[in-house]
Amino acid sequence: MVMFWVSLLAISILLYVLLDGVDLGVGLLFGLASGETRRGAMLSAVAPIWDGNETWLVVTAVILWGAFPIVYANLLSAFYLPLIVMLLGLILRGVAFEFRYKTQRLRWIWDLSFAGGSLIATFIQGMTVGALVRGLPFTNGEYSGGETGWLTPFAVLCGIGLCLGYALLGACWLVRKCEGEVRDVARRQIPVLALGVLAFLVVVFAYALAENLPILHRWIDRPYLFVFPAIGAISATVLAFSILNHNDYLPFHMVALIFTSAFGTLALSFWPYMIPSVITVEQAAAPQSSLVFMFWGCGVIVFPLMLIYTLVSYSVFRGKVRITGGYEHH
């Protein structure tokens, strides 16, 4: 039963990264866009799905709270301040998304809010992952780093890296969903963003070597982890050819595969810990009775329904967007 909830947690996190990463990435690129037509098309590319994407963040939190309460408590203790700021960024982005069409004179404020909220949320998510990889200060199994124990140069670097990664994911989504100028600009942005992500990975690897981070020893002990970078390298090669051939659909799938391989690498590098070198999966798990109780509600009914809803919504809105004024339609 523990592995069932570990699997659902991993699926929820991965779906959140891939799906909400799309509209966060579009939000980041939105700040660089000019012209109401172009900005409207960018918003319409995520309008039908953005709020549903964020639901997977709620699912992740619920699974942690119910199935792994020790991890939930310690992570909140460590990241209370940044997570509050992240949620405020997500709220600001959602409000701006709806309010920008209600005004003309002050629309620039909501445009800035939409891009700024996306930047805040993305940067903090990256910093959180970076802090976990770098290692948090714990004493006797409890977080002891204070309000800013998570704030390190490596965490900031990872925040910047995720901004580049989400922007790349968003650009590929715009290529898939839009036409004309929006698609062409996004296609030109993809090589620049891809090189930025590559540079980030090189710097992170050099930093990990210099600091002798514990996660590197996992790679030595588990050579099968190199399968994931190999998948990422093949996907990056296909991505490059798809851009050269002006393919509208392959780039998004290849970048999604790169994100998936990176997630798999990170997850298996952590295993069997949920908080690296501090709390294992078995130590973190709730009592068996609680896991079984959640299984019959969340596991059997709610989670499958959410998956079905996500698949149906992406299937219904699978086409290109077309401009009709206000929000664009499929």
Side-chain angles (χ1 to χ4, degrees):
M1 190 58 72
V2 173
M3 288 306 302
F4 173 81
W5 286 109
V6 169
S7 301
L8 254 62
L9 179 64
I11 293 170
S12 299
I13 296 173
L14 180 59
L15 285 174
Y16 176 76
V17 168
L18 291 178
L19 301 183
D20 206 37
V22 165
D23 49 80
L24 284 170
V26 170
L28 293 171
L29 298 175
F30 183 86
L32 305 176
S34 59
E36 180 57 30
T37 301
R38 183 178 164 197
R39 288 184 171 183
M42 293 174 72
L43 288 178
S44 71
V46 296
I49 44 100
W50 74 271
D51 47 355
N53 293 342
E54 291 183 348
T55 307
W56 292 104
L57 182 62
V58 178
V59 173
T60 298
V62 169
I63 292 176
L64 278 176
W65 172 75
F68 307 101
I70 297 176
V71 173
Y72 180 83
N74 277 287
L75 290 183
L76 277 188
S77 297
F79 298 115
Y80 185 81
L81 180 61
L83 288 180
I84 288 294
V85 176
M86 182 195 75
L87 291 175
L88 290 174
L90 291 174
I91 292 169
L92 178 64
R93 185 179 65 129
V95 171
F97 194 100
E98 301 297 336
F99 275 33
R100 74 178 302 273
Y101 286 105
K102 308 299 182 183
T103 180
Q104 290 288 337
R105 185 169 57 88
L106 298 178
R107 180 169 292 180
W108 65 273
I109 294 178
W110 299 115
D111 286 349
L112 184 62
S113 298
F114 182 71
S118 300
L119 176 62
I120 291 169
T122 301
F123 183 71
I124 289 179
Q125 288 175 20
M127 281 207 309
T128 301
V129 174
L132 285 172
V133 173
R134 180 68 179 82
L136 294 168
F138 275 78
T139 304
N140 298 323
E142 294 185 358
Y143 176 71
S144 58
E147 291 82 1
T148 57
W150 47 270
L151 186 57
T152 64
F154 185 78
V156 172
L157 179 64
C158 289
I160 296 172
L162 191 62
C163 287
L164 292 170
Y166 275 2
L168 176 61
L169 196 60
C172 292
W173 182 255
L174 292 175
V175 167
R176 177 177 178 176
K177 298 296 291 183
C178 298
E179 296 179 323
E181 182 188 9
V182 177
R183 178 190 59 191
D184 295 340
V185 171
R187 183 177 282 130
R188 292 194 297 269
Q189 290 171 331
I190 289 175
V192 177
L193 293 169
L195 289 175
V197 171
L198 178 62
F200 160 74
L201 293 175
V202 171
V203 172
V204 163
F205 186 69
Y207 186 98
L209 285 175
E211 295 292 321
N212 194 28
L213 295 185
I215 200 170
L216 286 179
H217 301 294
R218 299 279 179 177
W219 285 61
I220 297 173
D221 297 337
R222 302 169 180 178
Y224 58 82
L225 288 176
F226 287 95
V227 171
F228 292 101
I231 294 173
I234 294 171
S235 302
T237 303
V238 177
L239 171 66
F241 280 108
S242 66
I243 293 300
L244 291 174
N245 294 327
H246 290 78
N247 187 295
D248 285 0
Y249 293 95
L250 272 180
F252 175 74
H253 296 292
M254 291 303 102
V255 173
L257 194 55
I258 292 171
F259 265 83
T260 303
S261 64
F263 177 80
T265 302
L266 196 61
L268 289 177
S269 297
F270 279 13
W271 185 263
Y273 292 96
M274 293 199 74
I275 298 180
S277 304
V278 180
I279 301 174
T280 66
V281 170
E282 293 295 333
Q283 291 171 338
Q288 184 74 5
S289 57
S290 297
L291 299 180
V292 172
F293 177 79
M294 288 179 60
F295 171 80
W296 294 111
C298 181
V300 173
I301 300 174
V302 177
F303 197 89
L305 284 177
M306 288 189 59
L307 283 175
I308 293 171
Y309 169 80
T310 300
L311 290 172
V312 170
S313 62
Y314 274 82
S315 175
V316 170
F317 297 104
R318 65 184 177 273
K320 295 272 190 179
V321 298
R322 54 186 177 85
I323 300 173
T324 58
Y327 282 119
E328 283 71 22
H329 301 277
H330 291 66

